[in-house]
Amino acid sequence: MMAAFILSALPAAPPSPGPCDIYASAGTPCVAAHSMTRSLFANYSGPLYLVQRSSDLASDVVVVKEGLAAVASQDAFCAGTNCTVTRIFDQTERGNHLNRAPWGGASKHSERGVNAARHKLSVGGRTVYGAYFEGGMGYRCDSTWGVATGNEPETMYMVTAGRHYNGGCCFDYGNAEIDALDHGKGTMEAIYWGDSKGWSRGAGDGPWVMADIENGLWAGKDKVEASNTPITGAEFVTAMVKGGSNGFALLGGDATRSDGLKKLYEGPRPPKYQPMKKQGAIILGIGGDSSDWAVGTFYEGVVTAGYASDATDKAVHANIVAAGYGR
Ligand SMILES: *[C@@H]1O[C@H](CO)[C@@H](O)[C@H](O)[C@H]1NC(C)=O
Ligand SMILES: *[C@@H]1O[C@H](CO)[C@@H](O)[C@H](O)[C@H]1NC(C)=O
């Protein structure tokens, strides 16, 4: 069943399509695509991220070869010194690159970049690096092109580490304020991963996939959303948020299992969040106002235009599984 479904959902032409090819053929195209590990379009062979070394502040770009990050140049460039990631490139043609986050309303200082060599892993048979956030670290793009604003629909996913999280605010990836200040309910819409119980929560003890929709991480429409079960024991997690014009959905599961993705919630937003007032910046590793007390790991993620179908969610998750995280 699963194999037949995947074959019929993927476009025939490109040899190994990426998640953004799947979203494009489904009519909900990526408007931003960021990855430390691999190309997210079959036809992408450009830069993935930029590292800067502490010894002389020189920079080096890590590119894609055969679809995966080619990190030999990074290892040579950073030998004997420390490198931080200063930019994660947008693989779409929209230039929505993530740079180290500047001053924000909550943090009152600029964010540090992650240590580029802190977290090594295997993906698809190649050694690559993930972005390992240890607190006080974050990225953002305040001036974007094509990202949802107001009440426009969008879909986001990220692949994150299942066992590296905390309850601090906020390990997020997605849509946020354009000036790093808190503009109140509905002014952001990002994926959250962790076990914060400060606003809303799912069943059990977490960690959960929630949506940061500003002044609140929400596991559903209620303070305690029983359908949103914790995802425990997975080394790699697919986390998705779909923001509709009248409601939202949360999905998540083990990123190495084809039967892993579960719908955790789909329905109305909590009271006073409709209509949304999205501003269209993109954040990573921090809250919309640059709250920077969370830890977490980022491997890849995208933001699309439009509300993806259930079939598209499944095809994207299957594509992530096929990429071979941990193998
Ligand atoms: C790459 O593929 C995407 C969709 O799969 C398409 O929209 C885009 O135009 C392609 N880019 C190039 C440079 O061919
Ligand atoms: C690299 O960073 C570590 C931890 O901050 C520090 O102890 C070490 O001295 C640094 N090494 C170099 C060569 O800068």
Side-chain angles (χ1 to χ4, degrees):
M1 266 309 275
M2 201 59 191
F5 164 75
I6 293 160
L7 289 173
S8 64
L10 296 181
S16 53
C20 288
D21 301 306
I22 295 167
Y23 282 120
S25 59
T28 48
C30 292
V31 293
H34 304 107
S35 178
M36 296 293 293
T37 62
R38 64 170 184 144
S39 54
L40 302 174
F41 289 92
N43 62 15
Y44 188 75
S45 57
L48 283 186
Y49 58 94
L50 196 65
V51 296
Q52 185 180 49
R53 64 186 174 200
S54 54
S55 52
D56 61 357
L57 302 184
S59 291
D60 188 45
V61 67
V62 175
V63 299
V64 160
K65 285 206 179 93
E66 290 104 30
L68 294 166
V71 301
S73 67
Q74 173 185 333
D75 291 340
F77 182 78
C78 302
T81 181
N82 289 322
C83 276
T84 58
V85 175
T86 50
R87 163 178 280 201
I88 304 173
F89 289 91
D90 177 14
Q91 298 182 26
T92 78
E93 287 155 355
R94 293 175 178 273
N96 296 324
H97 310 304
L98 290 168
N99 293 309
R100 275 181 44 212
W103 185 99
S107 67
K108 309 268 197 283
H109 57 78
S110 59
E111 301 304 315
R112 288 181 295 135
V114 299
N115 178 339
R118 175 69 178 74
H119 176 52
K120 201 178 251 194
L121 73 153
S122 295
V123 176
R126 178 95 56 91
T127 296
V128 298
Y129 293 103
Y132 192 88
F133 293 78
E134 303 176 87
M137 299 175 172
Y139 298 85
R140 108 185 264 142
C141 178
D142 282 330
S143 178
T144 61
W145 175 38
V147 178
T149 57
N151 200 41
E152 289 170 356
E154 64 181 344
T155 298
M156 296 159 281
Y157 85 81
M158 71 169 159
V159 179
T160 187
R163 301 187 189 116
H164 182 219
Y165 61 87
N166 67 7
C169 178
C170 293
F171 190 69
D172 289 349
Y173 172 70
N175 197 322
E177 293 94 335
I178 56 175
D179 59 2
L181 298 174
D182 179 350
H183 287 278
K185 288 186 195 317
T187 55
M188 59 179 293
E189 183 172 67
I191 311 162
Y192 166 81
W193 172 248
D195 67 354
S196 164
K197 301 171 182 84
W199 290 276
S200 151
R201 53 181 293 179
D205 268 335
W208 301 286
V209 177
M210 296 196 269
D212 189 342
I213 45 180
E214 195 52 284
N215 286 339
L217 306 172
W218 287 89
K221 75 171 169 27
D222 293 325
K223 286 260 179 199
V224 180
E225 195 66 56
S227 70
N228 192 332
T229 49
I231 300 166
T232 55
E235 190 173 359
F236 302 99
V237 166
T238 303
M240 282 184 193
V241 171
K242 302 200 285 180
S245 52
N246 191 15
F248 75 122
L250 302 168
L251 296 93
D254 189 325
T256 67
R257 294 177 54 130
S258 51
D259 64 349
L261 192 69
K262 282 213 310 197
K263 192 175 277 181
L264 303 164
Y265 177 81
E266 187 164 37
R269 291 194 172 87
K272 304 197 176 118
Y273 281 92
Q274 208 62 53
M276 293 288 281
K277 306 175 195 80
K278 299 172 209 179
Q279 294 197 352
I282 303 174
I283 49 164
L284 171 60
I286 48 176
D289 61 357
S290 226
S291 294
D292 65 355
W293 301 280
V295 304
T297 307
F298 179 83
Y299 300 110
E300 62 174 74
V302 313
V303 180
T304 79
Y307 194 86
S309 69
D310 291 354
T312 303
D313 302 339
K314 285 185 184 143
V316 166
H317 179 72
N319 183 278
I320 294 163
V321 173
Y325 275 89
R327 284 197 275 115

